[in-house]
Amino acid sequence: MKKALALTALIIGSAAVIFGLAVLNLFLFSEIYDLVILVGLAAVVGFGFVQTALQGVFERKTGLSWKRFILLAYVPSAAGSIVYFIVVRILDMAGYFKGFLAGLGELLIGISWTITSVAALIAGLIVYVSRVYAREEKGKL
């Protein structure tokens, strides 16, 4: 696979998975109120583990550093969620949504996507730092 195609797939795939997790968290919130935080955290931390493993593959195959991996895997989704949230707020202020609870679904998706993007970034950083720390401790023994 060519480097440009792999990086494009990383950007689009990560954003799609984070958006899917955001919709899953929103659906879980509407169905099971008690377990939504635990299930959401487990899904986001699992995604952090997968992204960390994927970063190792990208580093071996394309020479992509961890800092650039973060920029390509997490930041586009966070930026997209913020832009989505701002557009929904602008449309709401302009009177685009009509009726009872108009625009509430779009607003909730924007909030959920933003929270999930930030949580995924934090989980990925925590998993990566713990992995690097474990490697350093293993080297000291």
Side-chain angles (χ1 to χ4, degrees), residues 47-128:
F47 178 70
F49 277 110
V50 170
Q51 286 288 75
T52 303
L54 191 61
Q55 190 274 332
V57 172
F58 269 85
E59 189 174 0
R60 281 193 309 274
K61 299 286 184 180
T62 64
L64 188 66
S65 68
W66 174 249
K67 292 175 186 174
R68 288 190 179 174
F69 184 83
I70 287 176
L71 286 175
L72 295 175
Y74 295 109
V75 173
S77 178
S81 68
I82 291 168
V83 168
Y84 177 85
F85 185 74
I86 290 170
V87 167
V88 168
R89 291 294 299 150
I90 290 171
L91 289 174
D92 188 33
M93 286 183 211
Y96 179 77
F97 303 112
K98 303 283 185 207
F100 182 68
L101 296 178
L104 182 64
E106 291 83 0
L107 184 68
L108 289 176
I109 287 175
I111 291 170
S112 178
W113 190 11
T114 303
I115 291 170
T116 305
S117 294
V118 172
L121 175 61
I122 291 169
L125 288 173
I126 289 171
V127 169
Y128 180 74

Side-chain angles (χ1 to χ4, degrees), residues 128-138 140:
Y128 180 74
V129 167
S130 64
R131 190 175 94 174
V132 168
Y133 181 72
R135 265 196 234 149
E136 288 177 4
E137 288 296 318
K138 186 177 180 182
K140 289 180 182 178

Side-chain angles (χ1 to χ4, degrees), residues 4-28:
L5 183 61
L7 297 179
T8 304
L10 173 67
I11 293 168
I12 294 171
S14 293
V17 169
I18 290 173
F19 180 74
L21 285 174
V23 171
L24 174 71
N25 289 338
L26 190 59
F27 175 73
L28 289 175

